[in-house]
Amino acid sequence: MPDVEFRNIVKRFGSLTVLEKLNLKIADGEFLVLLGPSGCGKTTLLNMLAGLQETSDGTIAIGNRDVTDLDPKDRGLAMVFQSYALYPTKTVKGNLLFGLSAQKLDKAEMQRRVEWASKLLQIDALLDRKPAQLSGGQRQRVAIGRALVKNVDVFLFDEPLSNLDAKLRTEMRLEIKRLHNELKKTIVFVTHDQIEAMTMATRIAVMNSGVIQQIGTPDEIYERPKNLFVASFIGSPAMNMVPATVVANGGTCVARHEPSGVPLHLSRYQFEHQPKTGQNVIAGMRPEHFSVGEMPEEACGAYFELPVRYTEKTGSDVTAFLESGGGLIAVRFDSKHYHVPAAGERLRVSYPADKFDLFDPKTEVRI
Amino acid sequence: MTVTIEATAFAADRVKVKRRRRRIRGSSIAILVFLTMCAAFVSVPLYVVIVTSFKTMDQIAQGQIFSLPTEWTLEPWRYAWSQTCAGMTCKGVSAGFWTSLKILFPSLLLSIGVSSVTGYALALWKINWAGTFLFILFLCAFVPFQIIMIPLVVLVSSLGIFGTVWAVALVHAILSMPLLTLIFRNFYKDIPDEIIKAAIMDCGSFWKIFLEIILPMSANIMIVVLILMITSVWNDYLIGLTFGGVGTQPMTVILANTVITSFGEVRYNVNMAAALLTAIPPLVVYFGLGKFFVEGITAGAIKG
């Protein structure tokens, strides 16, 4: 079974360069999510893999085949589109069968595959219906079925869940994850939704303005973001970025939070490069890692007592925005353990010492 | 109590608003008068044509063109269909009817066949110079026939088909292609991009995608184009007159020859009947095809 490799991919639209010398290797059987904001080049990358857009330079290989100049139908891929893209005049069965039309198969084999895919996706009762007679979730299943019947090794998904409502999206997320576990095929999945990426991917490639910012498992991406962009893109509410200055270097490394002068204890932080005294850094603190009240001294990285500007309650969670210097620090905690603070109330929160993320303010890279 | 009073006042207000809407205003009277005049402009002559075609010549000779036939007769219709003279031949307009059909079908097949495929290719496939080609087509759609008539005659006679129904059909098809291609291209341009992308990944064959996916989605535009083409081919006079030979002239040319015949008595009732016979086929097409319009060609294909 093949892996997929992009080598030095360049994509230009006229004088605009969208992708510049991009390299990416997707291992066999992997569920890779291309994650990034709109216009970051992730769909372009997927379309180039599918053969729907041409590369300006570089090669794409599937297994040991160079597919850069092959027709889409000859690449051995199947794709699921955002808008389902079903054929409106064909029945569900007709849609599935048309997916097989590039492969020369005998009737019995085609029939067998349609039966298999429709059972797997629970659309076997709908085979004679037209797309107009289906609900959104059913249409999405048919679209996935049309890809499955091809029995290829690499599946491409172009934001397939963004047209579904929240409940269906969760269902289909599980469904796609289940299919991946059962079929063990390589999946390349494009999305701008970090929840989809975090829940489904075996690896995530975070993209911004045509460059892969970081590639790693969901945990790596979340726990050790390589740069400011990844740190701020992943996580909801977004990570707090506060300016700080390193004040003591040596046995106990301490940085001072610029607006308030609160010390940040960095002794548990794993530095990639040792900082100098007096160096400016940006300290990232995830809202969900804060806890209300005090912590044991050896675990505590920072302790703030700040007034609440406003709060947002989302079911079990409360996010409080604390006023600090000119900015706000978001703090998320469980409402079971603490009452919802009123605006203006002073809230005491502490941040664990092992959860900091430090970045260089100039290069935006992790320190 | 005040609340109730206010509510009643409010309800009364709403009733007033409703009534005001129903009243006929000056502008709507003007529109009505205008539309009635437009309708009369077409329907009064049509009425005269119809009643005259059912009258005997004796009644027509008395004048009173608006009166109903005192004695209804189908004789003028029968005569017009099978016996009236156009020039030297006296076989009625029926000869022209069959010729018109022989012209109509090949020209429909050729023009719709070629222009729908061209429109599909221009709209949904990447074609070099597509923009330039479209611009030239656009220009061609506005060139009057009279300008290129003589070169076309030379061209068609060099093909060796001048004076046959094929010549008339071919010229009709070629002249309608720029407009039809633009119509098809604009229609296919609205087909969601992802459907054609999916089809390219599934199958990749230009013809198979056209025949299995695109053509079945074209019912609406086909009806529009059919009505347009049938009406224009059937009602055409100039192309039929120029390119048709003796015995291969379409119904309109036969009709004209019948009506302008200058010897003997002018049989108005026969002329009217012949004119109506010529006008019936496009009318039938209009009313017959109109009901086949289907709504929402992409229903269910994509997120609505």
Side-chain angles (χ1 to χ4, degrees):
Chain A
M1 291 229 291
D3 46 3
V4 176
E5 193 176 357
F6 294 91
R7 291 190 207 109
N8 295 321
I9 296 295
V10 178
K11 179 66 185 173
R12 293 187 203 95
F13 292 108
S15 60
L16 179 76
T17 305
V18 183
L19 299 172
E20 181 72 53
K21 297 241 179 240
L22 183 137
N23 286 288
L24 176 63
K25 194 162 181 176
I26 303 159
D28 175 37
E30 191 165 30
F31 195 131
L32 182 98
V33 172
L34 292 170
L35 178 67
S38 304
C40 73
K42 54 191 195 300
T43 297
T44 307
L45 194 63
L46 194 76
N47 280 338
M48 286 194 297
L49 176 56
L52 297 169
Q53 279 179 352
E54 284 166 15
T55 53
S56 304
D57 199 11
T59 54
I60 302 170
I62 300 174
N64 37 24
R65 286 191 306 154
D66 182 347
V67 299
T68 318
D69 297 318
L70 281 185
D71 270 349
K73 69 176 165 60
D74 300 323
R75 296 192 178 201
L77 302 165
M79 186 154 167
V80 178
F81 293 89
Q82 177 178 3
S83 67
Y84 322 134
L86 300 179
Y87 309 125
T89 54
K90 287 187 177 290
T91 59
V92 169
K93 193 174 179 183
N95 267 279
L96 297 185
L97 285 175
F98 196 79
L100 292 172
S101 50
Q103 307 174 16
K104 306 267 180 290
L105 297 171
D106 59 69
K107 283 244 167 66
E109 171 65 12
M110 283 162 89
Q111 192 61 37
R112 200 189 59 74
R113 288 210 194 158
V114 168
E115 265 171 36
W116 166 78
S118 56
K119 283 236 170 63
L120 195 63
L121 290 162
Q122 293 141 30
I123 49 172
D124 40 351
L126 312 170
L127 283 179
D128 294 322
R129 295 214 198 153
K130 291 274 177 72
Q133 297 163 303
L134 303 176
S135 69
Q138 289 168 335
R139 285 177 204 171
Q140 190 60 70
R141 279 166 196 274
V142 175
I144 294 174
R146 193 173 60 188
L148 281 186
V149 288
K150 292 194 201 171
N151 196 25
V152 291
D153 297 322
V154 183
F155 288 93
L156 312 181
F157 287 82
D158 185 10
E159 308 200 20
L161 305 181
S162 40
N163 276 346
L164 300 173
D165 63 49
K167 187 167 166 284
L168 264 176
R169 202 178 301 173
T170 319
E171 273 177 41
M172 289 309 293
R173 219 157 62 199
L174 290 170
E175 184 91 23
I176 293 173
K177 190 68 195 160
R178 177 179 72 89
L179 288 173
H180 178 246
N181 288 337
E182 271 178 41
L183 304 173
K184 310 269 183 240
K185 306 280 190 183
T186 310
I187 291 181
V188 185
F189 191 106
V190 162
T191 183
H192 57 255
D193 184 325
Q194 48 168 309
I195 308 287
E196 283 173 23
M198 298 300 271
T199 50
M200 292 195 286
T202 55
R203 277 205 305 165
I204 298 175
V206 183
M207 287 184 74
N208 189 33
S209 52
V211 178
I212 295 182
Q213 305 286 333
Q214 184 174 3
I215 179 159
T217 64
D219 287 347
E220 280 167 19
I221 300 270
Y222 179 74
E223 279 162 16
R224 290 185 69 82
K226 261 191 183 163
N227 57 34
L228 269 181
F229 175 80
V230 178
S232 57
F233 192 74
I234 302 287
S236 172
M239 185 189 271
N240 298 295
M241 305 287 184
V242 295
T245 316
V246 177
V247 286
N249 200 354
T252 53
C253 183
V254 178
R256 201 179 61 236
H257 180 221
E258 280 297 331
S260 61
V262 169
L264 311 173
H265 300 280
L266 304 174
S267 48
R268 291 198 175 191
Y269 183 74
Q270 294 176 325
F271 285 103
E272 313 226 332
H273 326 280
Q274 273 297 324
K276 297 186 201 73
T277 307
Q279 185 180 343
N280 290 324
V281 295
I282 288 178
M285 294 182 282
R286 292 212 180 268
E288 56 271 31
H289 292 328
F290 279 96
S291 43
V292 180
E294 283 161 41
M295 264 185 189
E297 200 173 323
E298 66 276 12
C300 182
Y303 176 78
F304 296 95
E305 187 178 342
L306 295 167
V308 175
R309 172 83 68 83
Y310 56 92
T311 54
E312 281 175 351
K313 193 160 188 279
T314 53
S316 60
D317 286 343
V318 178
T319 306
F321 294 87
L322 311 181
E323 236 166 308
S324 149
L328 288 174
I329 293 179
V331 174
R332 202 173 87 190
F333 50 89
D334 199 324
S335 62
K336 268 187 295 195
H337 302 310
Y338 195 80
H339 72 278
V340 179
E345 187 181 331
R346 289 185 81 81
L347 194 65
R348 284 181 292 183
V349 292
S350 37
Y351 194 78
D354 54 350
K355 297 289 188 190
F356 284 112
D357 292 290
L358 294 187
F359 302 96
D360 188 310
K362 284 197 198 83
T363 60
E364 303 197 342
V365 176
R366 187 180 185 88
I367 298 173
Chain B
M1 274 317 284
T2 43
V3 177
T4 349
I5 291 161
E6 265 174 22
T8 327
F10 183 64
D13 245 23
R14 281 215 330 230
V15 170
K16 255 185 212 163
V17 170
K18 254 189 184 169
R19 277 195 189 145
R20 208 172 288 150
R21 258 191 209 161
R22 279 186 195 157
R23 206 193 290 159
I24 296 169
R25 261 180 261 125
S27 60
S28 55
I29 292 174
I31 290 170
L32 263 172
V33 169
F34 176 74
L35 290 179
T36 311
M37 279 168 65
C38 288
F41 190 77
V42 177
S43 56
V44 169
L46 184 65
Y47 165 80
V48 173
V49 172
I50 291 172
V51 292
T52 309
S53 73
F54 288 106
K55 286 176 184 171
T56 57
M57 274 312 290
D58 292 342
Q59 196 193 349
I60 293 168
Q62 295 164 9
Q64 295 171 332
I65 55 169
F66 291 107
S67 65
L68 284 170
T70 46
E71 187 190 329
W72 292 79
T73 171
L74 283 173
E75 180 57 24
W77 286 74
R78 196 193 56 75
Y79 191 84
W81 177 250
S82 57
Q83 271 173 299
T84 187
C85 296
M88 304 300 287
T89 48
C90 293
K91 289 181 186 163
V93 290
S94 64
F97 178 82
W98 299 114
T99 315
S100 277
L101 280 185
K102 280 184 211 161
I103 292 168
L104 184 64
F105 283 102
S107 67
L108 281 184
L109 269 178
L110 187 62
S111 60
I112 293 179
V114 173
S115 56
S116 61
V117 174
T118 316
Y120 154 72
L122 284 172
L124 302 174
W125 291 75
K126 275 181 218 136
I127 311 250
N128 294 337
W129 300 100
T132 320
F133 187 67
L134 266 176
F135 181 69
I136 293 171
L137 273 182
F138 189 70
L139 287 184
C140 290
F142 290 98
V143 174
F145 166 61
Q146 285 82 350
I147 290 180
I148 52 169
M149 190 161 80
I150 291 168
L152 261 180
V153 169
V154 177
L155 208 71
V156 167
S157 23
S158 73
L159 289 175
I161 53 170
F162 185 79
T164 65
V165 286
W166 300 106
V168 186
L170 184 72
V171 172
H172 271 302
I174 290 173
L175 288 179
S176 59
M177 266 178 217
L179 184 66
L180 293 196
T181 306
L182 287 175
I183 291 176
F184 275 112
R185 185 253 175 201
N186 286 351
F187 180 78
Y188 290 144
K189 202 77 202 163
D190 287 342
I191 288 180
D193 208 24
E194 291 197 337
I195 289 185
I196 186 83
K197 278 186 180 174
I200 286 174
M201 291 201 69
D202 280 348
C203 157
S205 150
F206 179 88
W207 291 106
K208 196 163 181 193
I209 294 174
F210 179 67
L211 293 175
E212 284 203 33
I213 307 294
I214 303 299
L215 208 54
M217 292 168 76
S218 314
N220 277 355
I221 199 68
M222 282 294 172
I223 288 164
V224 171
V225 166
L226 270 178
I227 290 176
L228 194 74
M229 274 302 285
I230 292 174
T231 318
S232 83
V233 172
W234 195 275
N235 290 347
D236 157 74
Y237 174 70
L238 194 54
I239 297 175
L241 184 69
T242 322
F243 292 87
V246 179
T248 59
Q249 287 166 326
M251 204 170 182
T252 42
V253 178
I254 305 280
L255 172 70
N257 291 349
T258 307
V259 175
I260 60 179
T261 298
S262 53
F263 53 84
E265 167 200 35
V266 182
R267 305 180 64 155
Y268 289 108
N269 52 358
V270 173
N271 289 349
M272 302 299 173
L276 285 173
L277 279 169
T278 312
I280 282 171
L283 278 179
V284 170
V285 168
Y286 246 93
F287 292 120
L289 283 182
K291 69 177 175 195
F292 288 110
F293 272 101
V294 274
E295 265 182 55
I297 50 148
T298 58
I302 53 160
K303 171 81 178 172

